Amino acid sequence: MIVVMENGAREEAISKVVEKLEENGFLIHLSKGVERTIIGAVGDKSRLADLSIEAMLSVDRVINILAPYKLASREFKSENTIIKLGDVTIGGEEIQIMAGPCAIESREQALEIADIVKRSGAKIMRGGAFKPRTSPYAFQGLGEEGLKILREAGEAYGLKIITEVMEPGNVEMVAHYSDILQIGARNMQNFPLLKEVARFDKPILIKRGLSATIEEWIMAAEYVLNGGNDKVMLCERGIRTFETYTRNTLDLSAVVAAKQLTHLPVIVDPSHGTGKWKLVGPMALAAVTAGADGLIVEVHPRPSEALCDGSQSLTEENFNKLLIQIKKIANAVDREAVQ
Ligand code: PEP
Ligand code: MN
């Protein structure tokens, strides 16, 4: 349920509504927009009728949000959420490119890729240290050593970094090194993990689960928002369908839907979304056209030697070619990309 206050409602009137709702067991989330304040109240709806909130001073209206997600909804917050990370903004006019290897393999590899990413104009480097591999025999990532290397590479080249955290017990450690925490597709409904990352003052990127509906994906974001962290972004990375030619089916309609239903930035991962490097560029362009706020792309100087996901990784040359096209598409949809 949300309470929409009148334009220019005074602090005192807002506090009175908040107090009344809190006294009656509602959990409150305030959204102070440019024009009006919206009070999100999560709790027992049946008690609401007796409270006469609508009759209180400066209350414009009370709206029952029908969707199961409340804080993530456009009703709760009509303006786009813009996440600020130093001088980098996600969800604003600029389309953010996050690029790097699937996995951090060595210090040399990470520094070489950080150099490629920096020279491309992108501002965020990706790289996995804890890898959720289907096979227990596959390379599992370098763990904390990988995080140290990624941090060093980010600092050496002035790039923000994003990496996956797989378990609640590791969040503190990963947050110590990384600017953004990534929740992997396989962990989208790991609720203890979602609750734990919500405790940290770091942006969280939530990848859509392999067979998650759009609503389930947004509910994962709701967990983090409800836990007190409002720096949440969604990431479409392809879903399971009957198709086997591609690794996953990149659902670009989900990007449009998520932008309409929520105020959160939406990022697209065309690498895992297709599994084939030749498809990555065109799908990245389609994603920007569909309204994505950013892309997360796997880049490797020698994809054939990559320890993980080489077949979907772009070479430096192909990555830079793609960025030239992304700039053109960004202009066409009134956005900006890599200067
Ligand atoms: C990744 O980005 O490294 C990754 C494992 O992605 P996903 O969780 O989408 O499979
Ligand atoms: Mn990968």
Side-chain angles (χ1 to χ4, degrees), residues 80-263:
N80 289 336
T81 285
I82 299 178
I83 299 172
K84 292 204 171 72
L85 197 55
D87 56 357
V88 178
T89 54
I90 303 168
E93 212 154 278
E94 189 176 344
I95 289 161
Q96 286 304 344
I97 311 295
M98 311 177 189
C102 180
I104 300 296
E105 300 167 3
S106 67
R107 187 169 174 271
E108 293 66 35
Q109 175 244 25
L111 290 169
E112 186 180 358
I113 297 178
D115 185 40
I116 293 172
V117 175
K118 182 68 185 181
R119 282 188 287 108
S120 78
K123 296 174 181 167
I124 304 172
M125 176 171 172
R126 64 149 288 148
F130 294 93
K131 296 303 303 175
R133 304 305 300 278
T134 301
S135 165
Y137 310 117
F139 176 57
Q140 302 285 308
L142 296 179
E144 187 169 2
E145 188 51 32
L147 295 177
K148 286 184 184 159
I149 292 171
L150 183 60
R151 175 89 246 156
E152 183 192 340
E155 275 171 8
Y157 287 90
L159 296 165
K160 302 290 179 206
I161 57 173
I162 174 169
T163 197
E164 176 166 353
V165 56
M166 292 208 302
E167 47 187 306
N170 273 353
V171 177
E172 187 153 5
M173 185 226 292
V174 178
H176 173 72
Y177 296 103
S178 189
D179 299 302
I180 306 174
L181 303 178
Q182 173 177 330
I183 301 293
R186 289 154 196 82
N187 265 321
M188 189 206 83
Q189 285 187 316
N190 181 339
F191 301 115
L193 180 62
L194 296 172
K195 286 181 189 168
E196 185 62 15
V197 294
R199 295 178 50 241
F200 290 80
D201 184 25
K202 295 269 171 175
I204 313 294
L205 176 139
I206 303 180
K207 290 200 148 192
R208 182 174 178 192
L210 276 69
S211 54
T213 63
I214 292 171
E215 189 171 286
E216 287 164 341
W217 183 36
I218 300 174
M219 286 307 279
E222 187 80 6
Y223 260 90
V224 180
L225 296 167
N226 190 43
N229 183 340
D230 58 7
K231 297 180 191 145
V232 182
M233 58 195 122
L234 294 164
C235 176
E236 163 60 37
R237 47 77 71 202
I239 48 173
R240 275 282 161 87
T241 66
F242 52 80
E243 184 54 69
T244 53
Y245 178 74
T246 42
R247 180 176 179 179
N248 290 292
T249 296
L250 188 65
D251 181 8
L252 291 183
S253 62
V255 177
V256 184
K259 291 294 297 177
Q260 289 175 0
L261 297 169
T262 82
H263 50 83

Side-chain angles (χ1 to χ4, degrees), residues 47-95:
R47 302 187 61 172
L48 210 60
D50 303 332
L51 301 182
S52 304
I53 299 290
E54 237 150 2
M56 292 182 78
L57 184 68
S58 301
V59 171
D60 181 8
R61 62 201 138 110
V62 177
I63 303 174
N64 196 4
I65 303 180
L66 295 175
Y69 44 87
K70 315 289 176 197
L71 308 175
S73 72
R74 278 270 178 207
E75 283 108 325
F76 175 60
K77 185 167 177 269
S78 58
E79 306 107 60
N80 289 336
T81 285
I82 299 178
I83 299 172
K84 292 204 171 72
L85 197 55
D87 56 357
V88 178
T89 54
I90 303 168
E93 212 154 278
E94 189 176 344
I95 289 161

Side-chain angles (χ1 to χ4, degrees), residues 21 23-26 43-53:
L21 288 165
E23 276 164 16
N24 284 279
F26 285 88
D44 180 3
K45 265 191 286 182
S46 63
R47 302 187 61 172
L48 210 60
D50 303 332
L51 301 182
S52 304
I53 299 290

